[in-house]
Amino acid sequence: MKKELASFAENVALSAGKIILESINNIEVDFKGKTDLITNIDLESERSIIDKIINSYPSHNILSEEHGLTNNNSDYLWVIDPLDGTTNFVHNYPSYGVSIGLLYKNHPEIGVVLELPSKNLYSAIKGSGAYKNGQKISVSKVPKLTNSLHVTGFGYEHGEKWEINMKLFKHFTDITQGVRRLGAASIDLCHLASGVVDGFWELGLHPWDTAAGIVIVEEAGGKITKMNGEPFNIYEDQIVATNGLLHSKMLTRIDSVSSFFNN
Ligand code: IPD
């Protein structure tokens, strides 16, 4: 059953990806906030994903970035970002994608992320490993912060959490080999899962940013918590994800920069 659901999610992500790539010259941009963008293609991708879920699994719940929650009182919850990295997509910056996670009784069980425009397909089923284009992937084995590369993101609200993340960005840029900021959290998590970067953190996230990526990271051998080391769930808006070897070192450094997370 899990395999069937995962291959369904992969096919749904691939057809949403096709819609997105074919629409690249036909984008209409609107604003959800001062700099928070939405396009006609976010909505087209979302419609295609939701229609396919309703068609195949009509009793399941669905939570999607633009559409919100459809609650059918099911144990299954699909959590969708139909176009993660909308700003990148609008600017043709090559880091955006489709993120589809499935939770069963609140536990993330399946994660599928299609990275665009590269069409790399990341996928994981709880307990069965993580894959990129069908090849098994694993997190890096970098044990020291001085040898590590990281990625983070900044949400659209520029308040206290944004200020704290600026401090973290500065600190980790100082003590590691660098911190990247690409602009699509689900893709960042997949880069961690495939060993391209060694750590990822962010504040101000939403369930659809992380629901798929966390399964892929954990199945690739990574570790995920909140900034204070407590267990993470998709409704938390802050995350630290690492290759495991760096986890406690990162938490210690985060604590040294700000006591915000322990209050
Ligand atoms: C955003 C991206 C970005 C992250 C923001 C998200 P969206 O999603 O994942 O990397 O920093 O927090 O909201 O709006 O492009 O789907």
Side-chain angles (χ1 to χ4, degrees):
M1 176 70 173
K2 277 203 214 172
K3 267 196 179 165
E4 185 188 309
L5 287 160
S7 106
F8 167 79
E10 287 178 8
N11 287 329
V12 169
L14 287 167
S15 56
K18 198 160 177 279
I19 291 174
I20 293 169
L21 291 180
E22 283 173 356
S23 312
I24 201 109
N25 295 318
N26 193 20
I27 309 172
E28 291 162 22
V29 182
D30 216 331
F31 288 82
K32 290 197 278 186
K34 205 168 96 189
T35 55
D36 190 0
L37 307 182
I38 177 165
T39 71
N40 54 328
I41 314 306
D42 293 63
L43 298 174
E44 273 182 42
S45 170
E46 181 170 71
R47 192 67 264 157
S48 123
I49 297 169
I50 291 179
D51 281 352
K52 289 189 174 66
I53 295 173
I54 291 175
N55 200 31
S56 296
Y57 303 103
S59 65
H60 288 187
N61 299 340
I62 303 172
L63 174 62
S64 183
E65 177 169 14
E66 316 303 343
H67 191 266
L69 178 67
T70 302
N71 187 354
N72 293 320
N73 290 318
S74 167
D75 286 335
Y76 288 96
L77 172 67
W78 294 93
V79 184
I80 300 156
D81 193 334
L83 209 180
D84 189 21
T86 302
T87 306
N88 287 345
F89 173 65
V90 167
H91 292 268
N92 208 6
Y93 184 86
S95 186
Y96 52 93
V98 179
S99 173
I100 302 177
L102 179 64
L103 280 73
Y104 179 70
K105 295 191 171 172
N106 260 331
H107 296 288
E109 292 289 341
I110 288 167
V112 169
V113 174
L114 177 67
E115 182 177 24
L116 296 171
S118 63
K119 299 187 193 163
N120 286 320
L121 183 67
Y122 298 86
S123 132
I125 300 173
K126 198 87 201 155
S128 304
Y131 295 84
K132 174 185 175 186
N133 301 328
Q135 303 290 311
K136 203 155 195 214
I137 51 171
S138 57
V139 292
S140 74
K141 294 190 166 45
V142 172
K144 284 188 184 166
L145 284 171
T146 45
N147 295 336
S148 63
L149 182 67
H150 297 261
V151 62
T152 186
F154 293 88
Y156 302 103
E157 283 179 31
H158 296 181
E160 186 183 15
K161 291 177 183 172
W162 188 84
E163 293 288 351
I164 291 166
N165 203 25
M166 282 294 172
K167 286 187 191 157
L168 293 175
F169 190 89
K170 189 174 172 206
H171 183 69
F172 282 105
T173 299
D174 190 35
I175 62 166
T176 66
Q177 292 188 356
V179 181
R180 303 293 180 252
R181 194 280 199 230
L182 297 187
S186 62
I187 308 295
D188 296 340
L189 284 164
C190 290
H191 290 175
L192 170 65
S194 51
V196 175
V197 295
D198 312 298
F200 164 72
W201 77 87
E202 188 165 343
L203 298 100
L205 288 168
H206 302 283
W208 43 84
D209 296 316
T210 56
I214 58 171
V215 185
I216 298 169
V217 168
E218 286 183 340
E219 286 303 312
K223 181 162 180 173
I224 296 175
T225 64
K226 288 167 61 180
M227 300 261 178
N228 62 5
E230 286 175 4
F232 174 82
N233 71 67
I234 61 161
Y235 302 103
E236 299 290 350
D237 77 340
Q238 41 138 309
I239 189 170
V240 184
T242 72
N243 65 1
L245 301 173
L246 293 171
H247 208 83
S248 62
K249 292 168 190 157
M250 280 197 68
L251 294 183
T252 305
R253 290 302 188 142
I254 288 169
D255 188 49
S256 76
V257 173
S258 172
S259 57
F260 176 83
F261 306 105
N262 290 319
N263 294 332

